[in-house]
Amino acid sequence: MQGGGGVSCAVAGEAPTPGPRRRLGLTIDPAGDVEAPAERVGRLVRESPVVIFARRGCCMCHVMRRLLAAVGAHATVIEVEEAAEEAAVSAAAAAAVPALFVGGAPVGGLDGLMGLHLSGLLVPRLREIGALCG
């Protein structure tokens, strides 16, 4: 699975590039090693303070990114394209895709993010992990 293994990355707020989707930012397969989906998910979560795993074109992911951007945090969005990767994300997050991880800890889906935000715990948590811009 060298060269991506079915996972593509995009940073929230980035304009899409014309042509083929590009893979950027995170190391998908370090040094050409092939990782099991669960290991890959764990590593990607550790590499970025705020990570959303979602399917391409997911409207709930869009809402999650917009809420995070509104409070000053920009999430790394990982698109899962294979069933094994989606299963690994769902198991790690104890939630279906889209799944949010903040500071390496699973938050859940959109309902988990909204719960954190409405309880007033989202911004302090993002500040704690250094994920707020500015």
Side-chain angles (χ1 to χ4, degrees):
M1 283 192 190
Q2 183 147 346
V7 177
S8 61
C9 304
V11 177
E14 256 191 14
T17 56
R21 288 192 330 209
R22 54 180 210 181
R23 303 190 191 276
L24 51 104
L26 303 174
T27 53
I28 301 302
D29 288 324
D33 295 335
V34 177
E35 296 175 295
E39 292 172 1
R40 181 178 297 127
V41 167
R43 184 179 45 75
L44 292 170
V45 165
R46 289 187 303 273
E47 287 180 352
S48 184
V50 182
V51 182
I52 300 171
F53 290 91
R55 289 182 209 96
R56 181 176 178 86
C58 174
C59 62
M60 289 186 289
C61 174
H62 177 75
V63 172
M64 294 169 81
R65 286 185 2 213
R66 293 291 303 258
L67 174 58
L68 288 164
V71 297
H74 294 284
T76 299
V77 178
I78 310 292
E79 291 179 355
V80 293
E81 298 172 348
E82 297 175 4
E85 292 167 340
E86 187 169 337
V89 169
S90 295
V97 172
L100 172 67
F101 291 81
V102 175
V107 171
L110 180 57
D111 56 340
L113 175 60
M114 291 301 295
L116 261 179
H117 180 60
L118 294 174
S119 69
L121 299 174
L122 178 60
V123 171
R125 177 70 179 130
L126 293 170
R127 189 173 291 124
E128 177 184 316
I129 63 168
L132 289 181
C133 301

PDB file of all heavy atoms in Angstrom, residues 84-111:
ATOM      1  N   ALA A  84     -11.787  -1.468   5.580  1.00  0.00           N
ATOM      2  CA  ALA A  84     -10.944  -1.822   6.725  1.00  0.00           C
ATOM      3  C   ALA A  84     -10.507  -0.582   7.492  1.00  0.00           C
ATOM      4  O   ALA A  84     -10.452  -0.590   8.730  1.00  0.00           O
ATOM      5  CB  ALA A  84      -9.719  -2.609   6.266  1.00  0.00           C
ATOM      6  N   GLU A  85     -10.213   0.501   6.771  1.00  0.00           N
ATOM      7  CA  GLU A  85      -9.826   1.747   7.436  1.00  0.00           C
ATOM      8  C   GLU A  85     -11.011   2.342   8.187  1.00  0.00           C
ATOM      9  O   GLU A  85     -10.867   2.819   9.311  1.00  0.00           O
ATOM     10  CB  GLU A  85      -9.293   2.746   6.412  1.00  0.00           C
ATOM     11  CG  GLU A  85      -7.979   2.324   5.824  1.00  0.00           C
ATOM     12  CD  GLU A  85      -7.603   3.129   4.595  1.00  0.00           C
ATOM     13  OE1 GLU A  85      -8.495   3.750   3.972  1.00  0.00           O
ATOM     14  OE2 GLU A  85      -6.413   3.110   4.253  1.00  0.00           O
ATOM     15  N   GLU A  86     -12.183   2.331   7.580  1.00  0.00           N
ATOM     16  CA  GLU A  86     -13.369   2.866   8.245  1.00  0.00           C
ATOM     17  C   GLU A  86     -13.673   2.063   9.504  1.00  0.00           C
ATOM     18  O   GLU A  86     -14.011   2.627  10.542  1.00  0.00           O
ATOM     19  CB  GLU A  86     -14.566   2.861   7.302  1.00  0.00           C
ATOM     20  CG  GLU A  86     -15.768   3.552   7.901  1.00  0.00           C
ATOM     21  CD  GLU A  86     -16.874   3.787   6.886  1.00  0.00           C
ATOM     22  OE1 GLU A  86     -16.614   3.835   5.680  1.00  0.00           O
ATOM     23  OE2 GLU A  86     -18.016   3.939   7.340  1.00  0.00           O
ATOM     24  N   ALA A  87     -13.531   0.756   9.444  1.00  0.00           N
ATOM     25  CA  ALA A  87     -13.760  -0.091  10.617  1.00  0.00           C
ATOM     26  C   ALA A  87     -12.755   0.222  11.712  1.00  0.00           C
ATOM     27  O   ALA A  87     -13.103   0.280  12.899  1.00  0.00           O
ATOM     28  CB  ALA A  87     -13.687  -1.565  10.225  1.00  0.00           C
ATOM     29  N   ALA A  88     -11.496   0.451  11.348  1.00  0.00           N
ATOM     30  CA  ALA A  88     -10.464   0.773  12.343  1.00  0.00           C
ATOM     31  C   ALA A  88     -10.750   2.112  13.007  1.00  0.00           C
ATOM     32  O   ALA A  88     -10.599   2.258  14.226  1.00  0.00           O
ATOM     33  CB  ALA A  88      -9.085   0.791  11.685  1.00  0.00           C
ATOM     34  N   VAL A  89     -11.185   3.092  12.226  1.00  0.00           N
ATOM     35  CA  VAL A  89     -11.528   4.403  12.784  1.00  0.00           C
ATOM     36  C   VAL A  89     -12.713   4.268  13.720  1.00  0.00           C
ATOM     37  O   VAL A  89     -12.710   4.792  14.843  1.00  0.00           O
ATOM     38  CB  VAL A  89     -11.839   5.424  11.665  1.00  0.00           C
ATOM     39  CG1 VAL A  89     -12.448   6.691  12.244  1.00  0.00           C
ATOM     40  CG2 VAL A  89     -10.582   5.741  10.881  1.00  0.00           C
ATOM     41  N   SER A  90     -13.747   3.577  13.292  1.00  0.00           N
ATOM     42  CA  SER A  90     -14.948   3.403  14.113  1.00  0.00           C
ATOM     43  C   SER A  90     -14.620   2.709  15.424  1.00  0.00           C
ATOM     44  O   SER A  90     -15.138   3.086  16.482  1.00  0.00           O
ATOM     45  CB  SER A  90     -16.011   2.615  13.352  1.00  0.00           C
ATOM     46  OG  SER A  90     -16.457   3.354  12.243  1.00  0.00           O
ATOM     47  N   ALA A  91     -13.747   1.713  15.380  1.00  0.00           N
ATOM     48  CA  ALA A  91     -13.360   1.006  16.604  1.00  0.00           C
ATOM     49  C   ALA A  91     -12.570   1.921  17.534  1.00  0.00           C
ATOM     50  O   ALA A  91     -12.805   1.944  18.740  1.00  0.00           O
ATOM     51  CB  ALA A  91     -12.542  -0.238  16.256  1.00  0.00           C
ATOM     52  N   ALA A  92     -11.638   2.696  16.984  1.00  0.00           N
ATOM     53  CA  ALA A  92     -10.816   3.586  17.804  1.00  0.00           C
ATOM     54  C   ALA A  92     -11.631   4.713  18.420  1.00  0.00           C
ATOM     55  O   ALA A  92     -11.386   5.130  19.553  1.00  0.00           O
ATOM     56  CB  ALA A  92      -9.673   4.165  16.971  1.00  0.00           C
ATOM     57  N   ALA A  93     -12.603   5.210  17.677  1.00  0.00           N
ATOM     58  CA  ALA A  93     -13.391   6.347  18.146  1.00  0.00           C
ATOM     59  C   ALA A  93     -14.630   5.929  18.921  1.00  0.00           C
ATOM     60  O   ALA A  93     -15.271   6.762  19.547  1.00  0.00           O
ATOM     61  CB  ALA A  93     -13.824   7.203  16.961  1.00  0.00           C
ATOM     62  N   ALA A  94     -14.974   4.651  18.880  1.00  0.00           N
ATOM     63  CA  ALA A  94     -16.223   4.169  19.466  1.00  0.00           C
ATOM     64  C   ALA A  94     -17.401   4.951  18.882  1.00  0.00           C
ATOM     65  O   ALA A  94     -18.358   5.271  19.567  1.00  0.00           O
ATOM     66  CB  ALA A  94     -16.197   4.255  20.985  1.00  0.00           C
ATOM     67  N   ALA A  95     -17.280   5.300  17.603  1.00  0.00           N
ATOM     68  CA  ALA A  95     -18.320   6.040  16.890  1.00  0.00           C
ATOM     69  C   ALA A  95     -18.169   5.746  15.413  1.00  0.00           C
ATOM     70  O   ALA A  95     -17.123   5.326  14.956  1.00  0.00           O
ATOM     71  CB  ALA A  95     -18.170   7.542  17.135  1.00  0.00           C
ATOM     72  N   ALA A  96     -19.231   6.003  14.685  1.00  0.00           N
ATOM     73  CA  ALA A  96     -19.182   5.838  13.232  1.00  0.00           C
ATOM     74  C   ALA A  96     -18.426   7.001  12.609  1.00  0.00           C
ATOM     75  O   ALA A  96     -18.171   8.022  13.255  1.00  0.00           O
ATOM     76  CB  ALA A  96     -20.602   5.770  12.680  1.00  0.00           C
ATOM     77  N   VAL A  97     -18.069   6.862  11.364  1.00  0.00           N
ATOM     78  CA  VAL A  97     -17.415   7.930  10.620  1.00  0.00           C
ATOM     79  C   VAL A  97     -18.487   8.925  10.207  1.00  0.00           C
ATOM     80  O   VAL A  97     -19.550   8.498   9.765  1.00  0.00           O
ATOM     81  CB  VAL A  97     -16.692   7.323   9.399  1.00  0.00           C
ATOM     82  CG1 VAL A  97     -16.150   8.381   8.473  1.00  0.00           C
ATOM     83  CG2 VAL A  97     -15.587   6.394   9.875  1.00  0.00           C
ATOM     84  N   PRO A  98     -18.315  10.234  10.362  1.00  0.00           N
ATOM     85  CA  PRO A  98     -17.091  10.927  10.704  1.00  0.00           C
ATOM     86  C   PRO A  98     -16.779  10.816  12.193  1.00  0.00           C
ATOM     87  O   PRO A  98     -17.680  10.810  13.026  1.00  0.00           O
ATOM     88  CB  PRO A  98     -17.371  12.379  10.313  1.00  0.00           C
ATOM     89  CG  PRO A  98     -18.836  12.539  10.497  1.00  0.00           C
ATOM     90  CD  PRO A  98     -19.416  11.193  10.118  1.00  0.00           C
ATOM     91  N   ALA A  99     -15.496  10.731  12.470  1.00  0.00           N
ATOM     92  CA  ALA A  99     -15.037  10.591  13.852  1.00  0.00           C
ATOM     93  C   ALA A  99     -13.979  11.649  14.139  1.00  0.00           C
ATOM     94  O   ALA A  99     -13.081  11.870  13.343  1.00  0.00           O
ATOM     95  CB  ALA A  99     -14.458   9.195  14.066  1.00  0.00           C
ATOM     96  N   LEU A 100     -14.119  12.286  15.288  1.00  0.00           N
ATOM     97  CA  LEU A 100     -13.221  13.366  15.692  1.00  0.00           C
ATOM     98  C   LEU A 100     -12.331  12.910  16.842  1.00  0.00           C
ATOM     99  O   LEU A 100     -12.802  12.271  17.782  1.00  0.00           O
ATOM    100  CB  LEU A 100     -14.042  14.584  16.139  1.00  0.00           C
ATOM    101  CG  LEU A 100     -13.285  15.742  16.778  1.00  0.00           C
ATOM    102  CD1 LEU A 100     -12.371  16.430  15.768  1.00  0.00           C
ATOM    103  CD2 LEU A 100     -14.274  16.741  17.376  1.00  0.00           C
ATOM    104  N   PHE A 101     -11.053  13.260  16.750  1.00  0.00           N
ATOM    105  CA  PHE A 101     -10.094  13.036  17.825  1.00  0.00           C
ATOM    106  C   PHE A 101      -9.485  14.384  18.190  1.00  0.00           C
ATOM    107  O   PHE A 101      -9.046  15.125  17.310  1.00  0.00           O
ATOM    108  CB  PHE A 101      -8.977  12.091  17.389  1.00  0.00           C
ATOM    109  CG  PHE A 101      -9.443  10.677  17.171  1.00  0.00           C
ATOM    110  CD1 PHE A 101     -10.063  10.309  15.995  1.00  0.00           C
ATOM    111  CD2 PHE A 101      -9.248   9.721  18.156  1.00  0.00           C
ATOM    112  CE1 PHE A 101     -10.492   9.010  15.786  1.00  0.00           C
ATOM    113  CE2 PHE A 101      -9.677   8.420  17.959  1.00  0.00           C
ATOM    114  CZ  PHE A 101     -10.301   8.059  16.770  1.00  0.00           C
ATOM    115  N   VAL A 102      -9.463  14.707  19.471  1.00  0.00           N
ATOM    116  CA  VAL A 102      -8.869  15.953  19.952  1.00  0.00           C
ATOM    117  C   VAL A 102      -7.791  15.585  20.960  1.00  0.00           C
ATOM    118  O   VAL A 102      -8.086  14.946  21.971  1.00  0.00           O
ATOM    119  CB  VAL A 102      -9.932  16.877  20.594  1.00  0.00           C
ATOM    120  CG1 VAL A 102      -9.285  18.108  21.198  1.00  0.00           C
ATOM    121  CG2 VAL A 102     -10.990  17.269  19.575  1.00  0.00           C
ATOM    122  N   GLY A 103      -6.570  15.974  20.665  1.00  0.00           N
ATOM    123  CA  GLY A 103      -5.463  15.651  21.557  1.00  0.00           C
ATOM    124  C   GLY A 103      -5.251  14.153  21.707  1.00  0.00           C
ATOM    125  O   GLY A 103      -4.839  13.686  22.764  1.00  0.00           O
ATOM    126  N   GLY A 104      -5.558  13.395  20.670  1.00  0.00           N
ATOM    127  CA  GLY A 104      -5.392  11.951  20.699  1.00  0.00           C
ATOM    128  C   GLY A 104      -6.551  11.189  21.306  1.00  0.00           C
ATOM    129  O   GLY A 104      -6.599   9.970  21.240  1.00  0.00           O
ATOM    130  N   ALA A 105      -7.493  11.896  21.899  1.00  0.00           N
ATOM    131  CA  ALA A 105      -8.637  11.250  22.552  1.00  0.00           C
ATOM    132  C   ALA A 105      -9.860  11.293  21.640  1.00  0.00           C
ATOM    133  O   ALA A 105     -10.137  12.323  21.008  1.00  0.00           O
ATOM    134  CB  ALA A 105      -8.964  11.954  23.868  1.00  0.00           C
ATOM    135  N   PRO A 106     -10.598  10.198  21.565  1.00  0.00           N
ATOM    136  CA  PRO A 106     -11.793  10.199  20.720  1.00  0.00           C
ATOM    137  C   PRO A 106     -12.899  11.068  21.315  1.00  0.00           C
ATOM    138  O   PRO A 106     -13.153  11.033  22.514  1.00  0.00           O
ATOM    139  CB  PRO A 106     -12.216   8.728  20.703  1.00  0.00           C
ATOM    140  CG  PRO A 106     -11.628   8.136  21.935  1.00  0.00           C
ATOM    141  CD  PRO A 106     -10.376   8.912  22.226  1.00  0.00           C
ATOM    142  N   VAL A 107     -13.507  11.885  20.476  1.00  0.00           N
ATOM    143  CA  VAL A 107     -14.627  12.727  20.885  1.00  0.00           C
ATOM    144  C   VAL A 107     -15.927  12.113  20.399  1.00  0.00           C
ATOM    145  O   VAL A 107     -16.968  12.271  21.013  1.00  0.00           O
ATOM    146  CB  VAL A 107     -14.453  14.159  20.328  1.00  0.00           C
ATOM    147  CG1 VAL A 107     -15.701  14.994  20.541  1.00  0.00           C
ATOM    148  CG2 VAL A 107     -13.238  14.822  20.949  1.00  0.00           C
ATOM    149  N   GLY A 108     -15.868  11.401  19.285  1.00  0.00           N
ATOM    150  CA  GLY A 108     -17.059  10.820  18.678  1.00  0.00           C
ATOM    151  C   GLY A 108     -17.334  11.513  17.371  1.00  0.00           C
ATOM    152  O   GLY A 108     -16.428  12.005  16.710  1.00  0.00           O
ATOM    153  N   GLY A 109     -18.585  11.606  17.022  1.00  0.00           N
ATOM    154  CA  GLY A 109     -18.982  12.250  15.779  1.00  0.00           C
ATOM    155  C   GLY A 109     -19.418  13.680  16.018  1.00  0.00           C
ATOM    156  O   GLY A 109     -18.987  14.340  16.973  1.00  0.00           O
ATOM    157  N   LEU A 110     -20.299  14.146  15.160  1.00  0.00           N
ATOM    158  CA  LEU A 110     -20.807  15.514  15.273  1.00  0.00           C
ATOM    159  C   LEU A 110     -21.512  15.728  16.603  1.00  0.00           C
ATOM    160  O   LEU A 110     -21.356  16.778  17.227  1.00  0.00           O
ATOM    161  CB  LEU A 110     -21.747  15.823  14.109  1.00  0.00           C
ATOM    162  CG  LEU A 110     -22.373  17.212  14.083  1.00  0.00           C
ATOM    163  CD1 LEU A 110     -21.308  18.295  14.085  1.00  0.00           C
ATOM    164  CD2 LEU A 110     -23.288  17.352  12.876  1.00  0.00           C
ATOM    165  N   ASP A 111     -22.235  14.725  17.076  1.00  0.00           N
ATOM    166  CA  ASP A 111     -22.932  14.869  18.360  1.00  0.00           C
ATOM    167  C   ASP A 111     -21.938  15.055  19.510  1.00  0.00           C
ATOM    168  O   ASP A 111     -22.170  15.857  20.417  1.00  0.00           O
ATOM    169  CB  ASP A 111     -23.858  13.682  18.623  1.00  0.00           C
ATOM    170  CG  ASP A 111     -23.149  12.344  18.573  1.00  0.00           C
ATOM    171  OD1 ASP A 111     -22.046  12.255  17.987  1.00  0.00           O
ATOM    172  OD2 ASP A 111     -23.688  11.365  19.119  1.00  0.00           O
TER     173      ASP A 111
END
